[in-house]
Amino acid sequence: MATQKWVLDPMHSEVQFKVKHLVISTVTGFFKSFEGSLETEGDDFANANITFSLDVNSIDTNQEQRDGHLKSAEFFDAEQYPSITFKSTSFNGEELKGDLTIKGITKPVTLEVEHGGTATDFYGNTKAGFEVVGKINRKDFGLTWDGVTEAGSIVVGEDIKLIINVQFAKQA
């Protein structure tokens, strides 16, 4: 069976994360620049090989000062570690396992996947859509900065929720 390559369509994809702020509210952020691909045997997505890369400097939480702090050595250290990468180790169609690398630290993660379906666009291109969700602990990846307010509230939660909506285009 022939290997089929699919490439991420950034115009129809988004990478979002959510983190608790002061334990009482949630801050949402995005990565605006990313790329990815998947390779399948035929048209079956199970056991696809998936790679994904985020540009840390494209982080956007709608607050310039906070974005600068996140890019600094206290958090992502974008200068030394400009990319966050993911490489799948298994995919059964609903559960995606792989190695996530942030700040040079690689850990296995498990993400839930919902395949939205496959469709053909106006130009005859075959597209496949997926929603990927999961949760990681930022401290597992060396994102250990902690701030505590005068009243003793933790500024940033440890758990990061990931909500990734991606569309892939089948390559000829």
Side-chain angles (χ1 to χ4, degrees), residues 151-172:
S153 293
I154 302 288
V155 177
V156 182
E158 288 184 23
D159 287 336
I160 310 293
K161 284 185 191 169
L162 305 171
I163 304 104
I164 302 165
N165 283 282
V166 285
Q167 193 176 99
F168 286 91
K170 188 178 192 176
Q171 302 302 288

Side-chain angles (χ1 to χ4, degrees), residues 98-147:
D99 294 323
L100 180 65
T101 303
I102 301 174
K103 271 185 98 167
I105 297 171
T106 303
K107 299 268 185 188
V109 296
T110 301
L111 305 168
E112 300 302 314
V113 178
E114 185 179 323
H115 179 206
T118 305
T120 304
D121 69 11
F122 288 120
Y123 309 103
N125 300 307
T126 303
K127 304 283 187 92
F130 301 88
E131 182 170 80
V132 183
V133 296
K135 190 163 62 170
I136 61 168
N137 184 314
R138 66 182 173 89
K139 292 192 172 179
D140 291 345
F141 295 92
L143 304 174
T144 56
W145 181 87
D146 272 323

Side-chain angles (χ1 to χ4, degrees), residues 40-112:
T40 60
E41 291 299 321
D43 289 329
D44 184 9
F45 291 105
N47 298 315
N49 286 323
I50 301 159
T51 58
F52 195 77
S53 175
L54 298 168
D55 176 0
V56 172
N57 280 302
S58 74
I59 199 166
D60 183 354
T61 63
N62 211 20
Q63 215 275 335
E64 209 172 305
Q65 205 174 346
R66 178 172 51 218
D67 295 346
H69 187 209
L70 289 169
K71 293 174 196 177
S72 78
E74 284 190 339
F75 266 100
F76 287 108
D77 196 354
E79 197 172 312
Q80 192 173 344
Y81 304 102
S83 297
I84 293 172
T85 60
F86 176 84
K87 184 161 184 16
S88 67
T89 54
S90 74
F91 180 50
N92 67 12
E94 293 177 2
E95 188 179 74
L96 173 61
K97 293 184 178 192
D99 294 323
L100 180 65
T101 303
I102 301 174
K103 271 185 98 167
I105 297 171
T106 303
K107 299 268 185 188
V109 296
T110 301
L111 305 168
E112 300 302 314

